[in-house]
Amino acid sequence: MIEARIAQRGKGILREFNEARVLSAADVHVALRLAALGGETREPVYLATALAVRAVRSGSVCLDLTRIREVTVDDSGDGPPIDPATLPWPDDTVVADGLATSPLVVGGDAGPLRPLRLVDGLLYLDRYYRQEQTVRRILDDRAHSHPPVDENLLRDGLDELFRDVADPTRPSAAPDRQRIAAAVAATQWTSVIAGGPGTGKTHTVARVLALLERQQPGLRIGLAAPTGKAAARLEESVNEQVAAVGLTSELSAATLHRMLGWQRGTSRFRYNETNHLPFDVIVVDETSMVSLTMMCRLLEAVRPEARLVLVGDPDQLTSVDAGAVLADLVARPVTGTANPILEKVVGADLSASDDPAEAALSAAERDRLRGGVIRLSRGRRFGGTIARLAVAVRDGDADEALAILHSDAADVSFVRRDDLAGLRADVVSTSAEVTAAALAGDAAAALRASEKHRLLCAHRDGEHGVSWWARDAMTWIGESTGRRLDPARWYAGQPLMVTANDHESRIYNGDTGVVVADGPDSDGTGSGGLVAAFARGKDPYVLHLSRLGAVQTVYAMTIHRSQGSQYDIVSIVLPDENSSLLTRELLYTAITRARTHVRIIGDENAVRAAVGRRVLRASGLRRG
């Protein structure tokens, strides 16, 4: 496999970094191609260009030249990795001076082509620089004014929709961050509602929509999320509250691709900067999973006079593609003018601290309201040990995280890789329940049962990866049933995951489902056929198996793939401490998928490595 990994055209410094597994063959080829087109001949510029390509491939929007040596090594190759510090790094000044005069940055005799942009020590590929500039410009433009609001109607709506838990006859006690978030969303063109799982983000969203319907009867509402599974959960969560909050009708949610009208065979969308989306308010859930490119396309398509509510957890794993837009928006300097109505309708909430379970807003948080940013902090979905563990990991406290894992709490367990009795029991019992419902043709019950337990891995391959553990799971199930599972053939109870968007069939990358019997015919006899069922709000979306394209059997999945989903029990396989994938965000995301129990499989060194290593995606957006 070395031939595929090493770029044969790479020479000199590029070859050394490629062989050390810092650069991939693709990084080298792109850098050399750009250099040839622009007439660049200097090796330090070659290297910086290749590292900028690598940065995008690794999820960053650009290459931060002050952190150019902070690279990880691809640990999937043969043999021990080389320490990047031992590589022949050029002097930082030589790199910076070379880029400042490079025809790839300033243009040259070869033509006006400028594939690189150098801005304040950040090196961009031109495409991502322009997208970041578009996002910044649109957000700043939207922050300079506020939508018209009936102040009295808004205040009355807030008092009605946010009630004291102990005494529902009274408005909620201050500070109620959900109430503040709803007021922010109602009085800003763009708002960001951030918070961890269980802090009531969709609870708040439903009330935001109810408030806005009162302000504007006939309000056109768009709900979206990055994946079909996340969109289905958003739709279900909002519609469960329709009657309680007084929304006029149930709503449907779509993936961002579907909302924007992706045009087959292109990278274009029906809705864009010249053909805006026909909504008065758009809510995007799981925004942490939205890439810079998709955020740019969304902002271009939103009408200037439409509200945009971005919802998500900035501490989770970010988009697979380049960008960490939600985290950037939460961290970037505040722009925009003071909100003239907000303090009038929630003034007491901004400074009071009557509720010991909810902290009053700090001075910095109050200032961030001017930018439409509010963070929910009070957990409501799960409490106890799972919440404490998630907070310890999020805050980087490895000692506290390990103390919790060793506490023998009922909702958290920490086991070695050779202590798998509990995992095996959960895998087998969940499969049995899913299969029984699937054979009975009860798609809804099969989908519910599939969320009883999920096995999550950081890697796709290797002894800590999805493929390895999925084989073990199928072996355990086969031994318990006396029937060997063959993922190459369809069978009732087979768990599925979609791996590519299929807009015609209305299934999307990341959707999970179950193969079920298609139920009795009208005469009461079973047809004997099988169909695939996917979660879509209250009613499963059923699809004939012949229409399935890119799907795979999923007895285990990567933690990345689990984002936007919740399971009763989550089992997490940690890789060795040296894995470059093992990060704080990865472990936090995995833990917060669980409702009732978290099982971590690994050792203390892996936990400490995960808690101590953060994902640092370079971006200019958070600089303002």
Side-chain angles (χ1 to χ4, degrees), residues 279-615:
F279 299 113
D280 301 307
V281 58
I282 295 171
V283 176
V284 180
D285 198 13
E286 298 291 348
T287 309
S288 64
M289 300 164 63
V290 178
S291 68
L292 175 68
T293 299
M294 183 54 69
M295 182 59 71
C296 179
R297 299 293 175 255
L298 172 66
L299 288 172
E300 288 175 329
V302 175
R303 296 163 55 230
E305 64 276 17
R307 288 176 176 84
L308 176 63
V309 184
L310 303 175
V311 184
D313 185 352
D315 298 309
Q316 284 189 22
L317 285 167
T318 51
S319 164
V320 174
D321 297 322
V325 180
L326 181 65
D328 287 343
L329 296 185
V330 170
R332 76 190 295 250
V334 175
T335 60
T337 58
N339 191 320
I341 297 178
L342 185 62
E343 290 217 25
K344 295 180 181 179
V345 296
V346 292
D349 269 347
L350 299 180
S351 57
S353 54
D354 297 339
D355 186 346
E358 185 107 77
L361 273 70
S362 66
E365 287 180 309
R366 291 182 63 172
D367 184 57
R368 298 203 64 74
L369 297 179
R370 181 164 50 90
V373 178
I374 173 72
R375 184 187 284 267
L376 307 182
S377 59
R378 183 178 182 178
R380 291 168 170 85
R381 177 181 302 154
F382 50 68
T385 318
I386 296 177
R388 289 173 48 221
L389 178 61
V391 169
V393 171
R394 184 196 66 192
D395 293 346
D397 191 338
D399 289 337
E400 174 66 8
L402 285 167
I404 293 169
L405 289 173
H406 287 302
S407 66
D408 295 325
D411 49 354
V412 169
S413 54
F414 187 35
V415 301
R416 302 184 309 274
R417 294 189 184 95
D418 59 355
D419 182 11
L420 302 179
L423 171 63
R424 178 170 181 157
D426 285 334
V427 167
V428 170
S429 63
T430 298
S431 176
E433 190 170 343
V434 171
T435 301
L439 287 170
D442 191 340
L447 289 168
R448 286 194 301 272
S450 71
E451 297 184 352
K452 293 291 182 68
H453 173 262
R454 182 65 76 190
L455 175 57
L456 303 179
C457 305
H459 290 261
R460 287 192 297 269
D461 303 307
E463 62 179 307
H464 308 300
V466 167
S467 300
W468 182 290
W469 287 83
R471 285 195 299 270
D472 280 352
M474 287 187 286
T475 298
W476 297 336
I477 295 167
E479 289 174 352
S480 72
T481 61
R483 179 172 61 90
R484 177 179 174 273
L485 298 180
D486 182 0
R489 301 181 63 181
W490 303 118
Y491 54 90
Q494 185 176 9
L496 301 175
M497 181 171 65
V498 179
T499 57
N501 292 329
D502 185 342
H503 297 271
E504 288 186 357
S505 296
R506 295 175 52 212
I507 53 175
Y508 305 95
N509 192 2
D511 281 357
T512 54
V514 177
V515 176
V516 300
D518 62 0
D521 293 329
S522 57
D523 62 0
T525 62
S527 66
L530 297 172
V531 293
F534 297 91
R536 287 290 188 276
K538 291 189 299 185
D539 299 317
Y541 176 57
V542 177
L543 197 65
H544 195 277
L545 296 176
S546 63
R547 297 184 61 189
L548 295 181
V551 297
Q552 63 186 38
T553 302
V554 55
Y555 284 102
M557 67 166 52
T558 62
I559 297 169
H560 274 88
R561 290 282 192 180
S562 73
Q563 284 189 259
S565 299
Q566 291 287 314
Y567 308 97
D568 292 344
I569 302 171
V570 168
S571 298
I572 307 163
V573 178
L574 294 183
D576 289 336
E577 60 186 290
N578 295 321
S579 169
S580 61
L581 294 181
L582 193 57
T583 64
R584 184 183 305 176
E585 290 82 357
L586 184 96
L587 183 54
Y588 172 84
T589 299
I591 290 168
T592 54
R593 299 309 92 205
R595 297 188 186 101
T596 61
H597 190 93
V598 169
R599 175 187 294 112
I600 294 181
I601 303 165
D603 57 41
E604 288 194 4
N605 290 336
V607 173
R608 288 192 178 279
V611 174
R613 185 183 296 132
R614 297 207 65 180
V615 174

Side-chain angles (χ1 to χ4, degrees), residues 165-187:
V165 174
D167 183 2
T169 64
R170 298 171 45 207
S172 57
D176 184 342
R177 288 179 178 241
Q178 292 184 347
R179 176 187 168 102
I180 297 170
V184 168
T187 56

Side-chain angles (χ1 to χ4, degrees), residues 76-127:
S76 63
D78 298 325
I82 296 174
D83 182 356
T86 65
L87 292 171
W89 292 95
D91 185 85
D92 290 354
T93 303
V94 172
V95 174
D97 291 346
L99 288 169
T101 59
S102 173
L104 301 182
V105 174
V106 300
D109 296 337
L113 178 69
R114 295 171 59 199
L116 301 180
R117 296 294 185 104
L118 182 62
V119 182
D120 297 330
L122 301 178
L123 183 64
Y124 293 83
L125 300 181
D126 181 67
R127 168 188 172 187

